[in-house]
Amino acid sequence: MDITGTTPDDEDPVDQLRPNARPGAEDQPYSPPPERAPETPAASGPAQQAAEAFAAELIRLRNDRGLSQLVLARRMGYNKSYVTHVERCTQAPTQPFARQADLVLGSGEILSGLWCAYHRPQN
């Protein structure tokens, strides 16, 4: 106990500095760390446009059939997170994915054609 009548157990842990805290930071308003932009197959240009076209068509076909990402993923034999990444253009679709999506969604070869455009060598 010190002269104020408190013991070390009475100290408020909030008043103690965090291990990596900057001195004086408690006077600054909190601002969250900047968010990283999602990684895309290509930053811009034809490859990004092809990725967006593939994703938009996949979403349109899925929504037209009233399917969630989870239901579509299960019917295709894929993980839901992969479908999500393809729809967000953060992961490139594979050719088997495009073919299976065409089959499950009954779209002919629309997605396979868009896959070809997506993976066509860029000059």
Side-chain angles (χ1 to χ4, degrees):
M1 185 178 298
D2 64 11
I3 58 172
T4 63
T6 61
T7 64
D9 294 336
D10 293 334
E11 291 180 10
D12 186 357
V14 174
D15 293 336
Q16 299 173 7
L17 279 177
R18 294 183 314 269
N20 295 321
R22 296 175 317 208
E26 61 276 357
D27 298 332
Q28 301 295 322
Y30 173 75
S31 60
E35 291 188 26
R36 292 178 51 199
E39 295 183 25
T40 57
S44 63
Q48 180 64 25
Q49 291 171 353
E52 290 169 359
F54 185 96
E57 188 63 15
L58 178 63
I59 292 166
R60 185 190 70 76
L61 290 166
R62 182 176 58 76
N63 287 335
D64 284 354
R65 282 140 185 90
L67 301 175
S68 67
Q69 288 178 335
L70 179 60
V71 170
L72 176 62
R74 285 183 178 166
R75 288 185 183 178
M76 291 176 58
Y78 281 84
N79 187 301
K80 178 192 174 284
S81 68
Y82 183 70
V83 174
T84 300
H85 284 293
V86 170
E87 287 187 357
R88 291 182 182 170
C89 300
T90 57
Q91 190 166 356
T94 62
Q95 189 174 26
F97 177 88
R99 288 179 180 163
Q100 189 67 12
D102 279 333
L103 181 66
V104 170
L105 295 169
S107 62
E109 295 183 1
I110 292 173
L111 293 170
S112 293
L114 290 170
W115 180 89
C116 289
Y118 186 94
H119 291 280
R120 186 172 297 130
Q122 306 299 317
N123 296 330

